[in-house]
Amino acid sequence: MHLLFGLCLIPFGAIHFLPTIIAALRNSRHVVAIFLLNLFLGWTVIGWIVALIWAITSEPKYRYAYAPYVRRY
């Protein structure tokens, strides 16, 4: 019985913290704030949806810029 509970807890925990996982993978500036919102209000549907939208729309910490290739003779 306890093994079944433990096996079910992992996928549901991953779904619950999906906004935090997305924010961390996207290198968001607001990972800690999204985590706290998800931790304290994620159990409500509205709090989880707000955290998910915030994680998807937040800008990353770093912007990557590639310098154009310059051929040197």
Side-chain angles (χ1 to χ4, degrees), residues 32-65:
V32 176
I34 292 170
F35 170 73
L36 291 174
L37 175 69
N38 200 10
L39 183 66
F40 293 119
L41 294 176
W43 57 274
T44 65
V45 176
I46 295 173
W48 189 86
I49 291 172
V50 168
L52 183 65
I53 292 171
W54 191 8
I56 292 171
T57 60
S58 65
E59 291 188 19
K61 279 185 198 175
Y62 308 106
R63 290 186 183 250
Y64 298 102

Side-chain angles (χ1 to χ4, degrees), residues 2 5 16-18 22 24 27 29 37 41 43 56 66 68:
H2 296 303
F5 178 73
H16 177 74
F17 285 105
L18 185 65
I22 291 172
N27 291 327
R29 296 176 186 212
L37 175 69
L41 294 176
W43 57 274
I56 292 171
Y66 296 100

Side-chain angles (χ1 to χ4, degrees), residues 21-32:
I21 294 168
I22 291 172
L25 290 175
R26 295 186 74 229
N27 291 327
S28 173
R29 296 176 186 212
H30 308 288
V31 176
V32 176

